[in-house]
Amino acid sequence: MNGALLFDPLFAGPFATGLCFAVLLPLLGAWLRLRDEWLAALAFAQTAAAGALLAMLAGAPLLLGGLAAAALAAGLKHAFEGATRGAQGAAYAMLLLLGWGVSVLLVANLPLAERMGHALFDGQLYLTERSHLISAGVFAAGALLALRPLSRRLLLAHFFPDLFRARGLSERRAHFAFDLLVAGALALATMSIGVMGAFALIFVPPLIAFGWAGSWRRALALGVAVGVASYVLAFGLALALDQPFGPLLALLLVAAGVASALGRRWAGHA
Amino acid sequence: MSGDSGNGGEPPLLAAAGLSAGYAKPVVGPVSLRLARGEIVGIVGPNGAGKSTLLAALTGAARIFSGRVDKAPGLRVSLQQQQAPAIDGIPFSGAELLALTGAPAAGLPPWLAPRLGERLDRLSGGQLQFLYLWACLQAPADVVLLDEPTNNLDPDGVAFLAGALRRRARPGAGEEEGGGNACAGAGLLLVSHDARFMDAVCDRTVTL
């Protein structure tokens, strides 16, 4: 692998763009995993892709379409906040199918959408521009700032729901704010690292971290470490082997997840 | 109507008058009670009498059909109900749990204090129950509401809890062990089916 390519100005921007998501998505994934709502992440990413394609057809900015569709999906999820776990899961699955159906139909019928559709699903990280980097950096910084106060509320609502309500705090408001963060992050990430790449980064690192970490803080740190390490490796491999980035990232994370599960079994944890 | 005239002197932190509460329809009441700082009041009654619903109504989680609830201005309430959330597979330590509610670790029983750094899903049912109780009991609050606090506790745990409740209500009142609670003198409202425990710790009880 030619490591110097990582520092080539041509690739430095895309690398930094993806790095923002490699840090942010595993963090957000930890709270999604805590709430057992990881399927919602895939639904958000898929809906964002459909929104971007629809925006392209309408002549609007892709980013705007993706963000709007993901925010709409977050709003729909919010409507199911008080529902049973089964009903919530069904709603996420429906959203996922809706996003996938719209995207594939557009890709199949419109030549312009075909190229963009493949880019959104495979990840178009190397084609990202300065605007992607700025939006990713600003969003990641804002999300990290917002997570600090939101984290305590989400954890309190999970571990002490009665105490949370008794203190006059609104679970629905805290969850909706978090869902909007997740939807925004996934919409932006989908535009650069693709639907499944973004989903892999939000799903697998917390899965690994939850198995090994002894505390929440360590789980967050381990999740970010796994996300960043997998991302850097996938980026380098994709450049060296001239392969699409998204699938390589997903495969690396799957390999890490399997190795983690085997390691835990060997260590007697599972 | 179930009633409690209170201790008369101290102004109440929390008072219910002719309270009838439930969800789709009333399941408890009418009931009246008063809780002042430094008091431990018990709510007793058979299963299904509406004890937990009464606690929920006092914190606004259940619907009030008639009567009223009065709270002292700026009242801080801490509440622990029966169902603990799912914790399996979640990397959360005991120390982090206490930090969430602002409860100090000082004063924890010796069979639990050394395990604070461990994940919650590695603790026994009794240890976990006590830790949740401690987190709510010692949280900064004027009123603490506990629902079936002796569930899953062994006799040692129940005895330690009884002492902790008295210290929480009346810190510095000459209890045997060091307290460690950061905030002093709360009013405690307990729901339990354990008559012996309630007789031992409560200043008075309200029967539903």
Side-chain angles (χ1 to χ4, degrees):
Chain A
M1 182 195 316
N2 184 358
L5 278 178
L6 287 179
F7 303 101
D8 186 319
L10 190 64
F11 295 108
F15 178 76
T17 302
L19 193 60
C20 294
F21 298 119
V23 171
L24 180 61
L25 292 180
L27 284 176
L28 294 174
W31 278 277
L32 279 175
R33 185 150 202 88
L34 173 77
R35 295 167 59 198
D36 205 13
E37 290 184 337
W38 52 268
L39 186 59
L42 187 52
F44 286 172
Q46 190 72 60
T47 312
L53 289 173
L54 285 170
M56 187 186 70
L57 286 183
L62 266 67
L63 203 59
L64 203 64
L67 281 170
L72 206 64
L76 202 62
K77 178 179 176 296
H78 183 60
F80 281 83
E81 184 75 27
T84 62
R85 275 260 174 253
Q88 287 178 341
Y92 307 153
M94 292 294 193
L95 259 180
L96 173 60
L97 292 172
L98 176 71
W100 175 77
V102 169
S103 304
V104 172
L105 276 179
L106 288 173
V107 166
N109 289 288
L110 299 164
L112 194 60
E114 186 180 359
R115 199 165 56 83
M116 184 51 65
H118 284 304
L120 286 172
F121 289 107
D122 298 347
Q124 53 172 358
L125 186 57
Y126 304 122
L127 304 177
T128 52
E129 297 165 355
R130 191 177 165 78
S131 61
H132 288 97
L133 174 58
I134 292 170
S135 53
V138 168
F139 188 90
L144 291 176
L145 282 176
L147 262 180
R148 281 182 68 87
L150 199 52
S151 160
R152 187 180 168 83
R153 289 193 170 210
L154 292 170
L155 291 171
L156 193 65
H158 178 81
F159 287 103
F160 298 98
D162 304 311
L163 176 60
F164 190 82
R165 285 188 285 269
R167 286 184 176 179
L169 300 167
S170 164
E171 271 177 284
R172 287 177 67 92
R173 212 175 304 155
H175 288 163
F176 188 47
F178 176 71
D179 287 340
L180 283 177
L181 270 186
V182 173
L186 282 168
L188 291 171
T190 298
M191 304 299 137
S192 55
I193 57 179
V195 170
M196 296 312 282
F199 177 65
L201 268 178
I202 211 167
F203 177 72
V204 182
L207 176 72
I208 294 172
F210 273 37
W212 292 99
S215 69
W216 186 252
R217 287 175 72 93
R218 287 179 192 163
L220 296 182
L222 182 57
V224 171
V226 170
V228 169
S230 307
Y231 169 75
V232 172
L233 193 57
F235 192 94
L237 277 176
L239 273 182
L241 305 175
D242 194 21
Q243 293 294 314
F245 166 79
L248 270 180
L249 175 65
L251 289 174
L252 273 175
L253 281 166
V254 167
V258 170
S260 165
L262 291 175
R264 277 173 49 75
R265 184 173 287 261
W266 181 74
H269 286 308
Chain B
M1 174 165 158
S2 307
D4 166 45
S5 55
N7 66 1
E10 187 88 10
L13 294 168
L14 181 67
L19 183 66
S20 179
Y23 295 95
K25 58 180 184 177
V27 297
V28 61
V31 59
S32 297
L33 61 88
R34 287 164 53 90
L35 180 67
R37 194 176 296 279
E39 282 189 314
I40 305 177
V41 175
I43 298 171
V44 296
N47 287 343
K51 302 187 293 293
S52 299
T53 305
L54 177 59
L55 287 194
L58 292 173
T59 58
R63 186 176 161 196
I64 294 174
F65 288 88
S66 62
R68 54 184 287 177
V69 174
D70 293 313
K71 296 175 185 173
L75 187 76
R76 297 170 303 167
V77 177
S78 183
L79 167 67
Q80 166 65 11
Q81 290 206 303
Q82 288 184 61
Q83 290 100 355
I87 50 145
D88 273 352
I90 296 175
F92 212 76
S93 71
E96 287 174 323
L97 193 78
L98 295 187
L100 263 187
T101 65
L108 271 172
W111 40 266
L112 187 54
R115 303 199 65 182
L116 266 190
E118 293 183 33
R119 283 170 60 135
L120 299 179
D121 55 4
R122 311 250 162 94
L123 300 180
S124 72
Q127 288 170 330
L128 190 63
Q129 163 75 359
F130 200 95
L131 198 58
Y132 265 98
L133 275 172
W134 191 265
C136 287
L137 179 64
Q138 303 293 0
D142 305 299
V143 164
V144 180
L145 314 177
L146 301 178
D147 194 353
E148 298 290 358
T150 58
N151 278 0
N152 291 326
L153 298 187
D154 61 15
D156 283 351
V158 173
F160 199 96
L161 175 65
L165 292 173
R166 292 189 198 102
R167 287 192 296 275
R168 184 68 176 91
R170 296 179 285 273
E175 278 297 331
E176 53 283 325
E177 291 151 71
N181 28 319
C183 40
L188 272 55
L189 190 61
L190 313 182
V191 160
S192 178
H193 65 275
D194 186 340
R196 188 188 294 181
F197 172 77
M198 295 294 258
D199 284 345
V201 300
C202 293
D203 299 312
R204 58 180 196 283
T205 57
V206 177
T207 303
L208 297 182

